[in-house]
Amino acid sequence: MIRHLQIRWISVILFGCLFPKCVVYGQAGDPSPATGVREVISRLKTSLETKDIDLFSSCLSPTQMKGIEEQKRNLLETWKKFSYSLDIMGLPQVNVNGASADAELMVIFSLRNAEGVSTSMPPVKMVLQFREEDGRWKISDGRLEWSLPPK
């Protein structure tokens, strides 16, 4: 039996462990809403890897922006200690329902500290919820799920 540990992704950032930068994609009129959602995921990956706080913030829905200034400070402090790479395994599975969407993807986070020591984490399932706002897809919520070995 495998147990799952679920953590809200924004909490992961506050603990200084994982997320780099993101971008908002998916203009109104795009041929496919799923393509717009995947573009936001791509921008999120880029924001984390390039330490672009503005790009990261642009991926978030205003519902995720409460306390954003403190979150930004915490993330910037984390970026002083770590660099990230985010490998997405396969194509994210996207389900669109009107102006909302869910995406599931398997990712591997690799971290490098200031001394240059690298480590890769086991694959983790990232589940993100999106909302279309002002013609753009934005992340409204999300979590990470790690599979833990049985006790």
Side-chain angles (χ1 to χ4, degrees), residues 1-6 122-123 145-151:
M1 175 169 68
I2 295 178
R3 297 178 299 130
H4 291 281
L5 174 64
Q6 296 182 358
E145 296 179 358
W146 280 273
S147 293
L148 301 175
K151 283 188 170 183

Side-chain angles (χ1 to χ4, degrees), residues 74-140:
N74 290 338
L75 186 54
L76 291 170
E77 282 300 313
T78 299
W79 282 342
K80 290 179 185 176
K81 299 173 189 171
F82 296 99
S83 294
Y84 303 92
S85 78
L86 180 67
D87 295 319
I88 299 173
M89 302 165 59
L91 190 64
Q93 298 298 310
V94 177
N95 296 310
V96 178
N97 185 10
S100 63
D102 297 318
E104 289 187 8
L105 51 152
M106 292 299 293
V107 297
I108 298 175
F109 290 99
S110 298
L111 306 172
R112 179 182 302 173
N113 66 17
E115 291 78 36
V117 177
S118 295
T119 186
S120 289
M121 304 175 101
V124 61
K125 181 169 139 182
M126 183 184 294
V127 180
L128 298 171
Q129 287 81 48
F130 294 82
R131 186 174 305 144
E132 190 175 17
E133 299 172 353
D134 299 323
R136 295 179 175 261
W137 289 100
K138 304 236 180 181
I139 298 170
S140 59

